[in-house]
């Protein structure tokens, strides 16, 4: 490595541009889209310091060695402590909204706040039964980079609600529905450092039969507050509630 590159690595790279390269541990090259952004948009040159996340917890600093717009090569890869982590695991299963823009908004904001797994599902009153995961994956990458996270949420394939009820065995499982009945505030049930799964229904809510099947499968009804929320808002409130509970517990 040249002296120029050594000096770049030894300096403060806190403000250096952040890139996503899932295979950076194996291949010291930025993906084509990230390479184009680095070279064509930011006009980075050989010797410039950058930061890299791999989406599964890896956070690195390096310097550009060959600023090619399609395969920008880096060297001097140095691993740093993980960023943007949290002491809990949150899985939000949500019925995609009829207006896909609202679903994309939920994915973006939940990623920024902190979520580990997102499962879109189809239930009886679902108005949207097809999604484009590639678009949502791009939103996850962008939101995770913007909020400085080295571990990205997993986006699971679209499934049916019944499959989800049978497959998941998370210890703390909740369903947020709008029917009358006994429901406890989510913030009172999700303790610090726990695994949590929350089901969020479609615009038309779950059917009463679906609610009963979820309860029979071990899901506990919860309230997200006094207001009647849109599907995507309920998802964001869920992420914010779990994050707040854990942050508050950490300060005690």
């Amino acid at each position: 490595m040249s002296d120029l590159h050594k000096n770049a690595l030894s300096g403060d790279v806190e403000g250096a541009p952040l890139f996503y390269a899932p295979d950076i541990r194996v291949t010291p090259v930025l993906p084509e889209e990230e390479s184009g952004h680095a070279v064509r948009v930011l006009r980075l040159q050989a010797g410039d310091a950058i930061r890299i996340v791999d989406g599964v917890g890896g956070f690195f600093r390096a310097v550009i060695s060959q600023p090619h717009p399609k395969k920008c090569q880096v060297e001097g890869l140095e691993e740093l402590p993980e960023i943007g982590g949290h002491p809990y695991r949150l899985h939000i299963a949500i019925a995609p909204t009829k207006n896909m823009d609202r679903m994309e908004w939920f994915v973006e904001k939940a990623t920024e706040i902190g979520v580990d797994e997102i499962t879109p599902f189809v239930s009886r009153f679902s108005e949207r039964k097809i999604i484009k995961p590639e678009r949502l994956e791009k939103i996850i990458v962008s939101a995770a980079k913007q909020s400085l996270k080295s571990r990205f949420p997993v986006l699971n394939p679209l499934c049916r609600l019944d499959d989800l009820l049978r497959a998941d065995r998370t210890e703390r499982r909740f369903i947020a529905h709008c029917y009358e009945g006994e429901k406890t505030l989510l913030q009172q049930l999700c303790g610090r450092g726990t695994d949590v799964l929350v089901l969020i229904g479609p615009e038309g809510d779950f059917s009463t039969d679906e609610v009963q099947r979820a309860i029979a499968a071990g899901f506990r009804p919860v309230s997200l507050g006094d207001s009647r929320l849109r599907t995507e808002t309920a998802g964001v409130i869920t992420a914010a509630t779990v994050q707040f509970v854990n942050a508050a517990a950490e300060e005690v």
Side-chain angles (χ1 to χ4, degrees):
M1 191 189 311
S2 69
D3 290 339
L4 177 64
H5 293 180
K6 290 179 181 177
N7 291 337
L9 282 177
S10 63
D12 181 10
V13 295
E14 183 176 346
L18 182 67
F19 298 94
Y20 170 55
D23 300 321
I24 194 64
R25 292 181 187 270
V26 178
T27 307
V29 177
L30 298 183
E32 183 173 341
E33 185 173 345
E34 296 285 75
S35 293
H37 184 68
V39 177
R40 290 199 175 101
V41 179
L42 300 180
R43 299 187 182 279
L44 298 179
Q45 303 293 322
D48 286 340
I50 63 172
R51 297 175 297 170
I52 302 169
V53 291
D54 64 5
V56 292
F59 178 44
F60 311 88
R61 59 183 173 186
V63 293
I64 292 177
S65 57
Q66 296 186 35
H68 192 283
K70 290 189 176 181
K71 46 181 180 180
C72 181
Q73 296 186 26
V74 304
E75 66 178 18
L77 194 70
E78 179 183 348
E79 188 161 6
L80 304 171
E82 181 177 340
I83 54 172
H86 45 250
Y88 58 89
R89 181 168 182 80
L90 173 60
H91 180 182
I92 297 179
I94 186 168
T97 52
K98 181 178 181 181
N99 183 338
M100 198 59 192
D101 287 348
R102 296 186 181 278
M103 181 68 176
E104 292 174 0
W105 179 82
F106 155 71
V107 169
E108 178 184 69
K109 299 310 172 188
T111 298
E112 292 178 10
I113 294 167
V115 63
D116 299 280
E117 195 170 351
I118 297 172
T119 300
F121 67 84
V122 175
S123 60
R124 179 179 175 184
F125 298 134
S126 292
E127 295 191 67
R128 174 174 289 279
K129 300 180 180 180
I130 298 175
I131 63 171
K132 295 181 179 179
E134 298 82 6
R135 169 66 179 165
L136 296 179
E137 290 283 8
K138 288 184 177 181
I139 290 172
I140 286 173
V141 170
S142 178
K145 287 169 59 182
Q146 191 278 331
S147 55
L148 298 180
K149 290 178 171 55
S150 55
R151 190 178 300 275
F152 299 177
V154 173
L155 177 66
N156 293 318
L158 184 71
C159 69
R160 301 197 63 81
L161 176 61
D162 286 341
D163 295 333
L164 185 61
L165 296 181
R166 286 193 297 266
D168 194 279
R169 287 294 175 266
T170 304
E171 181 179 353
R172 299 197 181 192
R173 291 174 286 169
F174 308 111
I175 180 171
H177 63 77
C178 298
Y179 297 105
E180 296 294 330
E182 183 178 348
K183 289 182 281 189
T184 305
L185 284 169
L186 176 62
Q187 65 194 59
Q188 297 176 0
L189 297 175
C190 56
R192 171 175 164 77
T194 58
D195 290 357
V196 175
L197 166 62
V198 182
L199 301 181
I200 308 292
E203 284 96 334
D205 205 356
F206 296 99
S207 69
T208 54
D209 181 61
E210 287 171 336
V211 171
Q212 292 305 314
R213 293 206 306 273
I215 292 173
F219 287 78
R220 184 169 178 179
V222 291
S223 169
L224 301 177
D226 295 330
S227 300
R228 187 180 180 91
L229 304 174
R230 290 180 180 272
T231 294
E232 71 277 9
T233 308
V236 170
I237 290 295
T238 294
T241 297
V242 176
Q243 192 276 340
F244 173 77
V245 167
N246 280 268
E250 194 172 55
E251 293 177 358
V252 174

